[in-house]
Amino acid sequence: SESSGWPNLAEVRSNRAERMEWWRDARFGMFIHFGLYSVPAGEWNGQQYGGYSEWLPQGIPTAQWEKLTDRFNPTDFDADEWVLLAKQAGMKYIVITTKHHEGFALWDSKASDYDVQATPFKRDIMKELAEACRRHDMKLGWYHSVLDWHHPDYLPRRAVDKRSTDDADYDRYISYMKAQLRELLTNYGDIAVLWFDGGWDHGPRQHRAWEICDMAYELQPDIIINDRIGLPMDYDTPEQRIPRGASDRPWETCMTITSSWGYNKGARDWKDAKALIRNLVDIASKGGNYLLNVGPTGEGVIPPQSADRLREIGEWLEINGRSIYGTKGSIFRSTDSTRWGRCTTRMTGDGTTLVYLHVFDWPSGSSLSIPELGNLPDEAYLLADRDAKLTARKAGKGISIDLAEVESAVNSVDTVVVLEYAEQKPVTFH
Ligand code: H79
């Protein structure tokens, strides 16, 4: 093994805070699930599969799934379009599936014939995306599945896979994975994130996780690595759920807009923009990031249902982004204290503390009562309209904010109230 072992890793890990800085400020990213599974899109032999379309191959023999390479031809793929949509949505980074559990590589891989070069498309999708990201100043990350249903050395096998395991060698599989990752981390410029998945079949020792991560840090010194290769690494990745509160570890919730990660023709239950915005705010109030997924079609197009919602989020962020990007979490002990919505905070360079009250449900009375805040802000106003001044009054041990004069500026998603506290008069808190 060419492992350089502990010392180098320990050194790189010590600058975690610096490497994570851009990511902590970014708050919002785009997850893209794209692969051979985007072609059948949840349908096999005329049967609709309602689950995750990228899991459809789990029940299909490798020899049959492989044939999809003949049909993978996303001629409408335009990397600039994807990146510009992410920009419009207010997303600051993109993480894309370089290889999902199906094992198919979306780049021109020298380590495998099961890649874009085996399709009529023959274009290096990762290269085009990396170049578009560079053009539009977008950070790019690689999702990479450790689990591989195609490679003959991957173990354990699925029940439907009848190939002999006599010659299979998991350590050789890891060498293959390492070779593929080396390509991805060498030939595509700066890569901001390495997002492992499917590491649950084995422990870190069998994955040679230290060695793999060490190589990643060596090839991309500023990279950050998620927690799914059997080691905690730089940040945690709760899936399809938002934690109840803040955490000592950096974290990112990844979530679908609809019922599948990969494009599924039968997709249902599309979350509306309001729910997605409130999720972003909820997550920001707990100090996390939101990695929101889109699944482009077999033609390479992000479905309009997703694109429309992303643009709506972008419009909200256009006005309210200052209460999300670069903020810290809530000053309240738990969301039980903010039944009216959520809270984020910002310390400005001149020592001012900005407390953003994200009012989801505008109180039916004419005031918002905050018993936990011990002193009056120097100023209170709406983020959407600095001239819409609000009056704050002492009320018992806490404060009360008069909302009557700004009622017309209220929106049904999240109306952001800003409380400004100068340095001389810090926020006191019960
Ligand atoms: O890439 C996305 C998912 O495909 C992957 N991670 C995200 C980012 C993922 N892998 N596993 N899981 C999510 C959760 C496991 C779901 C399963 Fe199932 C339950 C696998 C088998 C039973 C869902 C239901 C998939 C097949 C049936």
Side-chain angles (χ1 to χ4, degrees):
S1 142
E2 51 180 291
S3 167
S4 48
W6 276 87
N8 185 15
L9 244 194
E11 188 188 312
V12 184
R13 286 169 72 230
S14 70
N15 69 354
R16 174 184 290 156
E18 292 150 49
R19 283 182 294 116
M20 301 288 297
E21 207 174 303
W22 71 267
W23 183 91
R24 281 183 178 276
D25 289 348
R27 284 285 175 262
F28 191 29
M30 174 183 272
F31 212 173
I32 304 178
H33 274 68
F34 195 44
L36 295 182
Y37 48 82
S38 311
V39 175
E43 193 184 311
W44 200 256
N45 290 337
Q47 290 270 91
Q48 188 60 44
Y49 173 83
Y52 292 170
S53 72
E54 76 282 2
W55 273 77
L56 174 61
Q58 188 194 28
I60 293 162
T62 308
Q64 286 182 46
W65 191 257
E66 262 178 359
K67 293 202 184 96
L68 285 170
T69 49
D70 296 337
R71 292 170 53 202
F72 185 82
N73 196 16
T75 47
D76 293 333
F77 165 64
D78 179 340
D80 289 291
E81 241 171 63
W82 290 8
V83 177
L84 288 173
L85 177 62
K87 276 222 121 139
Q88 250 189 317
M91 293 160 151
K92 304 295 190 189
Y93 59 110
I94 291 176
V95 177
I96 184 161
T97 51
T98 57
K99 181 195 84 164
H100 204 269
H101 309 339
E102 65 177 357
F104 175 78
L106 278 88
W107 75 101
D108 178 1
S109 175
K110 303 299 173 234
S112 172
D113 293 333
Y114 195 43
D115 69 347
V116 275
Q117 294 308 112
T119 73
F121 197 53
K122 283 196 172 43
R123 277 160 55 187
D124 187 329
I125 294 167
M126 299 299 119
K127 180 139 274 168
E128 292 185 26
L129 191 64
E131 285 165 2
C133 283
R134 210 161 309 130
R135 272 196 291 281
H136 303 298
D137 193 27
M138 176 69 68
K139 300 261 188 193
L140 177 62
W142 297 143
Y143 166 108
H144 199 82
S145 175
V146 179
L147 175 67
D148 190 314
W149 291 325
H150 181 268
H151 197 280
D153 282 319
Y154 187 85
L155 295 168
R157 294 274 178 78
R158 294 163 300 147
V160 293
D161 190 333
K162 302 300 183 202
R163 295 176 293 177
S164 162
T165 57
D166 289 353
D167 297 323
D169 175 352
Y170 191 73
D171 196 52
R172 197 164 57 205
Y173 169 72
I174 292 299
S175 296
Y176 162 80
M177 183 176 85
K178 191 177 171 187
Q180 287 210 315
L181 285 169
R182 183 181 287 281
E183 296 177 350
L184 287 166
L185 298 173
T186 304
N187 302 331
Y188 299 86
D190 286 348
I191 299 303
V193 176
L194 186 51
W195 211 105
F196 286 111
D197 197 10
W200 53 74
D201 280 341
H202 301 280
R205 186 182 296 277
Q206 286 142 307
H207 293 325
R208 284 149 53 196
W210 284 119
E211 180 190 323
I212 300 281
C213 292
D214 204 14
M215 177 188 74
Y217 287 135
E218 204 171 298
L219 296 172
Q220 299 278 344
D222 298 325
I223 205 165
I224 58 174
I225 306 179
N226 79 337
D227 59 338
R228 296 194 182 194
I229 189 170
L231 294 169
M233 301 315 293
D234 294 319
Y235 67 100
D236 297 336
T237 53
E239 178 165 332
Q240 300 285 41
R241 67 182 180 85
I242 300 173
R244 288 177 51 88
S247 165
D248 294 337
R249 295 247 313 154
W251 61 275
E252 170 194 77
T253 284
C254 56
M255 195 183 279
T256 52
I257 297 179
T258 180
S259 49
S260 177
W261 298 88
Y263 178 62
N264 191 324
K265 284 184 261 191
R268 58 197 189 288
D269 301 332
W270 298 82
K271 297 174 186 79
D272 61 16
K274 173 175 169 172
L276 297 169
I277 291 167
R278 287 184 173 189
N279 281 345
L280 174 61
V281 172
D282 185 17
I283 288 166
S285 81
K286 296 163 181 172
N289 277 19
Y290 197 22
L291 187 63
L292 188 58
N293 181 74
V294 295
T297 65
E299 289 76 43
V301 175
I302 294 174
Q305 293 96 324
S306 294
D308 291 348
R309 285 162 173 80
L310 293 187
R311 286 192 202 97
E312 270 188 73
I313 301 172
E315 280 165 28
W316 184 86
L317 279 168
E318 189 72 39
I319 296 165
N320 297 287
R322 281 192 57 76
S323 67
I324 301 292
Y325 304 122
T327 57
K328 299 261 185 291
S330 177
I331 53 169
F332 297 92
R333 228 162 267 125
S334 89
T335 52
D336 294 342
S337 313
T338 58
R339 299 249 177 237
W340 37 264
R342 292 291 181 270
C343 165
T344 54
T345 53
R346 175 192 299 283
M347 318 290 162
T348 68
D350 66 357
T352 305
T353 301
L354 301 176
V355 177
Y356 299 104
L357 307 177
H358 298 261
V359 187
F360 290 171
D361 301 306
W362 203 252
S364 50
S366 60
S367 68
L368 180 67
S369 158
I370 308 173
E372 294 88 351
L373 276 180
N375 56 355
L376 288 172
D378 297 289
E379 276 200 77
Y381 51 91
L382 290 186
L383 183 59
D385 179 7
R386 233 210 122 112
D387 297 329
K389 299 277 183 231
L390 296 161
T391 314
R393 287 176 287 104
K394 288 289 284 179
K397 285 175 95 178
I399 68 167
S400 165
I401 300 159
D402 216 327
L403 302 174
E405 48 290 37
V406 296
E407 208 111 41
S408 60
V410 171
N411 70 76
S412 62
V413 176
D414 175 7
T415 309
V416 184
V417 171
V418 188
L419 307 182
E420 258 193 51
Y421 291 90
E423 189 174 23
Q424 296 76 8
K425 208 169 126 194
V427 190
T428 61
F429 202 65
H430 301 305

